């Protein structure tokens, strides 16, 4: 069934739930008026519905491939990229000085979600460019910015991120790629990177690789890593793509999904590169791109969830089986359960990501450390819960289809295969959860506590009008507070890490309850309140089992020895 961009949902969330009015009221984002936002969302939505959605299946059936060393993209992807580039959707939040629109990340997040829903494989290409643009804006020299940013923002040149090596996945500090100074301000970068998304394509004039490598005096571990911009073609004196650089795509992976996105093994053989950020400061610079991409990958999960939901709903409204009032399966209680779970979770995950983006925007516009801490806290939650929502909803979508869900033609299975990677790349679920309970709790849990205070205050105020919804949200929030205090008090980090994934998912469940309650307050007699009631009664209670697990420590996990696990 054709994809419909959920514009009214974004509009409602921006107007009533995530506090976007604060962003639009800042001087930095004074251009983001209601009219502009509405026009952007509907223009982008139209492109997604009409141009990107028809490419989704083509990418699955005809994956990107390497042909005599030349990367051939899936059919129609070049036109899709052109539409994205010409619409300005690469540079929505990029600096206007270099051709961007300078609009809030909140808007980029909504647009990225729509692009992910309509064609995830292709959307990964502009997502990589957006992340690299932000990294260059913050860390590159003025010369590099002037040369590269306008081309990336316009979509003439595409972009990649090169962290992973065979022995260095989650442990980026184990990388062995090297960079040798050339004595003229440039560097020769050598090494092999694996799993590089959109490592090449046949639609952009140049491909700009951001590569992590170690200088000769770089110490082992993450502290000795530097970041380099390594283009496929070295720009000539006029800034046009010149001679080919010493790099190539060695191979393209065969994957369980996301077939339209070429995942490449890249070989750099003394390729010419330029330093981005300070020597040995590469991880900090790359983190700008990674945080951008983490928000984006969470949005990929929600986008795919939306596509899968629309598919499943259309099928349920049409499929006749058994006796029901309407004659279709939509009226079976168990099918309703699946549909309502999907819809309620999409709303929760979407709200968390938009709130995360709003915090990023507020931090940028005000320079306020509390907003920065809020954004940092929400990033692993939004990334992981967004991905998990995508996986869960897409899998449920297959189930709604019954046997037809297992048949590829319906498209339900593709959503499930494509979205699976969102819990793996850009830091696995485990890495996100550990980030939440370790790095993001280095403040003793203060940022978490401030957010929980706000949620409780709102629930307290809502008790007067919606006690049946406000009470459970308040109580659930209090249990997250207790779990946070327990985690922070653990001296052995393994006890924290053992419960980290459960804690992250529980935190997200409670945040979802908060945003559903906010929606219900804004629409007390309408469908938003009905959906909120469903979420709070049926899905929010999951938090308590998760929190019990979050506080159970590591002892039982390690009680069986590896030998006993094998036996
Ligand atoms: C389709 C696709 C596209 C990708 N695109 C890119 C890209 O564009 N650029 C790029 O640089 N990389 C990319 N990657 C790589 C991706 O980021 C890594 O696969 C990911 O970071 C995990 O690394 P790994 O595969 O080596 O798994 P491993 O690190 O070996 O992890 C295996 C398991 O162990 C767990 N684990 C590992 N270390 C720890 C720890 N310290 N504590 C707890 N658990 C741990 C993990 O959570 C995971 O469950 C891509 C991967 C895929 C599949």
């Amino acid at each position: 069934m054709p994809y419909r961009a959920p514009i009214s949902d974004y509009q409602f969330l921006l107007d009533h739930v995530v506090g976007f009015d604060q962003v639009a009221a800042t001087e930095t984002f004074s251009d983001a008026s209601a009219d502009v936002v509405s026009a952007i969302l509907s223009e982008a939505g139209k492109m997604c519905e009409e141009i990107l959605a028809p490419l989704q299946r083509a990418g699955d059936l005809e994956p990107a491939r390497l042909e005599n060393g030349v990367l051939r993209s899936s059919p129609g992807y070049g036109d899709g990229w052109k539409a994205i580039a010409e619409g300005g959707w690469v540079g929505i939040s990029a600096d206007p000085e270099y051709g961007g629109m300078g609009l809030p990340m909140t808007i980029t997040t909504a647009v990225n979600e729509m692009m992910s829903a309509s064609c995830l494989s292709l959307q990964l290409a502009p997502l990589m460019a957006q992340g690299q643009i932000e990294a260059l804006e913050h860390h590159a020299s003025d010369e590099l910015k002037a040369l590269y940013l306008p081309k990336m923002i316009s979509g003439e040149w595409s972009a990649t991120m090169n962290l992973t090596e065979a022995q260095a996945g989650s442990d980026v500090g184990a990388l062995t790629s090297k960079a040798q100074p050339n004595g003229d301000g440039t560097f020769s970068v050598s090494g092999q990177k694996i799993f590089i998304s959109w490592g090449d394509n046949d639609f952009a004039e140049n491909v700009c690789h951001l590569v992590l490598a170690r200088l000769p005096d770089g110490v082992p571990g993450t502290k000795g890593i530097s970041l380099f911009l390594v283009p496929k073609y070295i720009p000539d004196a006029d800034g046009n793509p010149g001679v080919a650089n010493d790099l190539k795509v060695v191979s393209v992976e065969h994957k369980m999904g996301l077939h339209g996105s070429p995942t490449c093994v890249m070989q750099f053989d003394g390729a010419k590169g330029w330093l981005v950020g300070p020597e040995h400061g590469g991880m900090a610079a790359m983190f700008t791109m990674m945080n951008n991409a983490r928000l984006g990958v969470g949005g990929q999960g929600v986008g795919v969830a939306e596509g899968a939901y629309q598919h499943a709903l259309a099928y349920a409204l049409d499929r006749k089986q058994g006796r029901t009032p309407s004659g279709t399966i939509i009226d079976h209680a168990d099918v309703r359960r699946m549909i309502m779970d999907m819809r309620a979770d999409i709303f929760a995950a979407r709200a968390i990501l938009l709130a995360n983006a709003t915090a990023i925007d507020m931090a940028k516009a005000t320079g306020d450390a509390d907003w920065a801490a809020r954004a940092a806290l929400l990033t692993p939650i939004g990334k992981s819960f967004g991905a998990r929502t995508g996986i869960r909803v897409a899998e449920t979508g297959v189930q709604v289809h019954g046997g037809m869900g297992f048949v590829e033609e319906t498209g339900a299975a593709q959503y499930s295969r494509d979205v699976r990677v969102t819990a793996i790349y850009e830091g696995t679920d485990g890495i996100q959860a550990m980030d939440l309970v370790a790095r993001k709790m280095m403040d003793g849990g203060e940022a978490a506590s401030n957010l929980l205070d706000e949620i409780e205050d709102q629930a307290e105020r809502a008790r007067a009008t919606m006690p049946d919804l406000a009470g459970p949200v308040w109580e659930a929030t209090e249990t997250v507070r207790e779990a946070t205090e327990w985690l922070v008090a653990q001296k052995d980090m393994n006890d924290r890490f053992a419960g980290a994934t459960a804690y992250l998912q529980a935190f997200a469940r409670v945040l979802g309850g908060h945003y559903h309650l906010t929606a219900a307050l804004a629409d007390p007699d309408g469908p938003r309140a009905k959906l909120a009631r469903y979420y709070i009664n049926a899905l929010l209670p999951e938090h308590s089992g998760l929190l019990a697990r979050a506080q159970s420590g590591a002892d039982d996990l390690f009680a069986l020895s590896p030998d006993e696990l094998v036996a």
Side-chain angles (χ1 to χ4, degrees), residues 84-114:
I84 293 168
E86 288 177 355
W89 309 124
V90 178
I92 308 170
S93 294
D95 190 342
E97 191 185 333
Y98 301 103
M101 293 193 220
L103 287 169
M105 268 314 281
T106 313
I107 306 307
T108 294
T109 300
V111 173
N112 282 355
E113 195 212 292
M114 290 190 276

Side-chain angles (χ1 to χ4, degrees), residues 384-403:
S384 197
F385 189 69
R388 280 289 152 192
T389 298
I391 292 167
R392 203 166 43 240
V393 168
E395 198 275 334
T396 308
V398 171
Q399 193 71 16
V400 169
H401 282 78

Side-chain angles (χ1 to χ4, degrees), residues 124 128 159-172 193-199 210 212 253 255 257-258 261-264 286 289 294 418 421-432 434 494 497:
L124 193 50
M128 292 294 98
T160 72
M161 64 194 298
N162 288 248
L163 293 86
T164 309
E165 298 177 8
Q167 79 296 347
S170 301
D171 184 8
V172 181
K193 297 286 179 179
I194 65 166
F195 289 147
I196 304 310
S197 295
W198 284 104
L210 262 193
L212 285 177
E253 304 295 351
K255 311 189 293 289
L258 209 70
S261 166
T263 306
C264 304
M286 191 55 125
M289 180 163 188
R294 284 175 179 185
D418 284 357
V421 73
T422 58
I424 296 171
Y425 62 23
E426 258 327 302
T428 60
D429 273 353
I431 297 300
Q432 301 303 325
M434 288 162 64
N494 233 21
F497 292 151

Side-chain angles (χ1 to χ4, degrees), residues 234-246:
I234 298 170
D236 64 19
D238 300 321
N240 296 315
V243 295
N245 211 345
D246 292 315

Side-chain angles (χ1 to χ4, degrees), residues 190-423:
S190 301
Q192 190 171 88
K193 297 286 179 179
I194 65 166
F195 289 147
I196 304 310
S197 295
W198 284 104
D200 200 1
N201 64 73
D202 52 6
F203 45 72
E205 288 173 9
N206 206 352
V207 183
C208 308
H209 302 284
L210 262 193
V211 185
L212 285 177
R214 213 177 293 278
L215 287 163
D217 59 345
V219 295
T222 50
K223 291 201 172 90
I225 295 174
S226 305
L227 184 62
F228 301 89
L229 177 51
V230 185
K232 176 179 171 185
Y233 296 109
I234 298 170
D236 64 19
D238 300 321
N240 296 315
V243 295
N245 211 345
D246 292 315
L247 61 92
K248 64 176 183 203
V249 177
V250 176
S251 60
V252 175
E253 304 295 351
H254 297 274
K255 311 189 293 289
M256 77 180 268
L258 209 70
H259 293 153
S261 166
T263 306
C264 304
V265 175
M266 301 293 306
Q267 184 69 37
F268 298 88
D269 290 316
K272 193 165 184 169
W274 284 261
L275 186 68
V276 175
E279 290 187 1
H280 318 307
M283 277 312 289
M286 191 55 125
F287 251 107
T288 305
M289 180 163 188
M290 284 157 70
N291 281 328
N292 181 302
R294 284 175 179 185
L295 178 71
V297 171
Q300 291 188 326
V302 182
V304 173
E306 176 69 40
Y309 167 73
Q310 291 187 14
H311 244 74
L313 179 63
Y315 189 80
L317 287 167
D318 186 58
R319 169 74 175 155
K320 294 178 178 54
Q321 197 68 194
R323 282 201 206 108
T324 63
S326 63
T328 70
I329 61 170
I330 189 77
D331 286 324
H332 290 303
D334 193 59
V335 175
R336 276 297 173 103
R337 170 190 65 79
M338 292 190 273
I339 295 289
M340 288 296 282
D341 278 6
M342 295 165 99
R343 178 137 189 149
D345 258 355
I346 290 169
F347 183 88
R350 180 175 286 148
I352 292 170
L353 282 157
L354 290 176
N356 188 357
T358 297
I360 291 169
D361 291 329
M362 289 305 290
K364 180 173 177 183
T366 64
D368 184 331
D370 286 344
W371 277 117
R374 171 71 52 87
L377 178 78
L378 288 176
T379 297
I381 301 176
K383 194 277 181 185
S384 197
F385 189 69
R388 280 289 152 192
T389 298
I391 292 167
R392 203 166 43 240
V393 168
E395 198 275 334
T396 308
V398 171
Q399 193 71 16
V400 169
H401 282 78
M404 289 310 289
F406 203 64
V407 172
E408 287 289 354
E409 279 89 320
T410 55
Q414 187 187 345
Y415 287 120
S416 205
R417 289 184 287 101
D418 284 357
V419 78
R420 186 61 187 82
V421 73
T422 58

